Amino acid sequence: MENLEQKEIDRYWSDGAENYSRIIDDELSSFRVKKWTKKITENISSSQKPKILDAGCGPGFFTIILNQACMETVGIDGAEKMLQEARLKAARLGLAPVFRKMDCHQLDFADNTFDAVISRNLTHTLRDHKKVYKEWLRVLKPGGTLLIFDANWHLTECDEKLRTESLKRREECIRLYGDAFDKKSNLKDTEEHERNVGSHVLGDRKRPDWDMGLLQGIGYENISCERSIIEEMWDEKEKLLYGNTPMFMIRAEKPLD
């Protein structure tokens, strides 16, 4: 039986699919396509045409741009509306990557399937990080690469100073740009948001160090991180709004043996 909390998380992201799809449309017509393609390809140890799993693909940004770069891509997400948006975007571009509805906690793939597993803004929503990271290790080929792109989004709920700064940044972003990437630019009920998307699981844990320790204990090797990639990957609006919780990149490999 599907976990009830996971069903609630998937419902939350399905409800937000239209707004996230609009954001991805903007990304697909921006500098981010070249930047992200380069960032990912230079960090994976792979074959000439790697097979890549985009875990928590949302409206399909990574799946699409890497498919454009002649890679075999599979995007999975628990929110069906996100997948619908992703399929429409790919079709408009004349692409046909695979999109499947799936829970990262229990992947329907054989062992040693992918050259790389990548995710962006997913891991803060997980119910059980250890279980998911083990699944990703299982489906990676020996020597395959894991890339996690995320941020300490959850800390704004348990660090009052950080929360206050985030609210000020939001107000300034709306003043300068007219919105803060959401539909109405009104402050959402953040406690409800955290409860729905699952990031309450992280509490006050500091990332990426917490993840790196977990990955090492599970059996990944050659684990490293860039603690902030925002100078190359974000525009000025994103830096203003989210600069106090910069996006990091964790890189890890599955042992050859």
Side-chain angles (χ1 to χ4, degrees):
M1 182 179 294
E2 186 176 6
N3 182 282
L4 291 177
E5 183 180 7
Q6 187 62 46
K7 290 180 70 174
E8 179 63 17
I9 293 170
D10 294 343
R11 182 201 62 77
Y12 173 87
W13 291 113
S14 281
D15 289 348
E18 183 179 341
N19 184 55
Y20 281 96
S21 182
R22 176 181 58 80
I23 294 171
I24 296 306
D25 281 336
D26 291 341
E27 288 196 318
L28 286 170
S29 60
S30 74
F31 71 94
R32 295 175 183 83
V33 174
K34 288 184 178 180
K35 286 287 188 178
W36 275 112
T37 301
K38 181 176 184 292
K39 190 70 174 176
I40 292 168
T41 54
E42 69 185 11
N43 276 287
I44 59 176
S45 304
S46 63
S47 58
Q48 188 173 0
K49 188 178 180 181
K51 185 172 184 179
I52 298 180
L53 176 64
D54 180 8
C57 65
F61 180 70
F62 278 176
T63 315
I64 288 170
I65 66 170
L66 297 177
N67 195 248
Q68 284 178 316
C70 300
M71 302 182 196
E72 183 181 354
T73 55
V74 179
I76 63 169
D77 204 282
E80 183 57 43
K81 288 184 180 179
M82 289 285 192
L83 294 170
Q84 291 173 8
E85 295 290 337
R87 293 186 185 106
L88 286 172
K89 292 184 196 309
R92 285 198 295 265
L93 292 168
L95 302 171
V98 175
F99 290 106
R100 295 179 61 181
K101 188 175 188 297
M102 198 177 300
D103 182 356
C104 282
H105 295 78
Q106 188 172 359
L107 297 177
D108 187 21
F109 299 113
D111 297 357
N112 309 321
T113 297
F114 296 97
D115 296 288
V117 175
I118 62 176
S119 72
R120 179 176 65 155
N121 292 333
L122 166 74
T123 52
H124 69 281
T125 73
L126 298 176
R127 304 190 318 267
D128 186 335
H129 293 77
K130 187 174 183 178
K131 186 173 184 180
V132 171
Y133 293 171
K134 282 184 174 181
E135 277 290 273
W136 290 349
L137 183 67
R138 180 182 66 79
V139 301
L140 277 171
K141 296 177 183 178
T145 308
L146 173 67
L147 296 178
I148 297 172
F149 301 98
D150 211 344
N152 280 292
W153 310 116
H154 63 290
L155 288 183
T156 59
E157 292 307 302
C158 58
D159 185 320
E160 189 60 35
K161 184 177 179 181
L162 194 64
R163 176 179 170 80
T164 298
E165 183 183 348
S166 293
L167 293 175
K168 289 180 179 177
R169 284 173 174 269
R170 180 184 176 83
E171 291 173 359
E172 182 65 7
C173 183
I174 293 172
R175 185 184 71 81
L176 290 177
Y177 296 99
D179 67 80
F181 293 112
D182 52 4
K183 292 179 181 178
K184 300 179 181 179
S185 294
N186 61 319
L187 184 62
K188 297 177 181 179
D189 183 342
T190 51
E191 291 183 357
E192 179 69 14
H193 169 82
E194 290 300 307
R195 185 160 57 251
N196 282 339
V197 302
S199 59
H200 59 284
V201 171
L202 288 165
D204 62 355
R205 294 183 175 97
K206 302 296 192 302
R207 309 180 70 197
D209 302 88
W210 178 77
D211 302 77
M212 293 172 71
L214 192 59
L215 293 170
Q216 183 177 24
I218 289 169
Y220 289 85
E221 66 180 18
N222 298 327
I223 302 167
S224 62
C225 78
E226 290 184 47
R227 295 183 178 274
S228 175
I229 61 171
I230 67 174
E231 287 304 317
E232 57 179 320
M233 311 310 297
W234 285 1
D235 64 14
E236 294 306 312
K237 181 179 178 181
E238 289 172 295
K239 292 174 188 175
L240 169 60
L241 186 59
Y242 304 126
N244 62 332
T245 51
M247 178 168 282
F248 55 78
M249 181 189 79
I250 299 174
R251 184 186 186 281
E253 296 178 357
K254 181 172 181 173
L256 285 171
D257 58 357

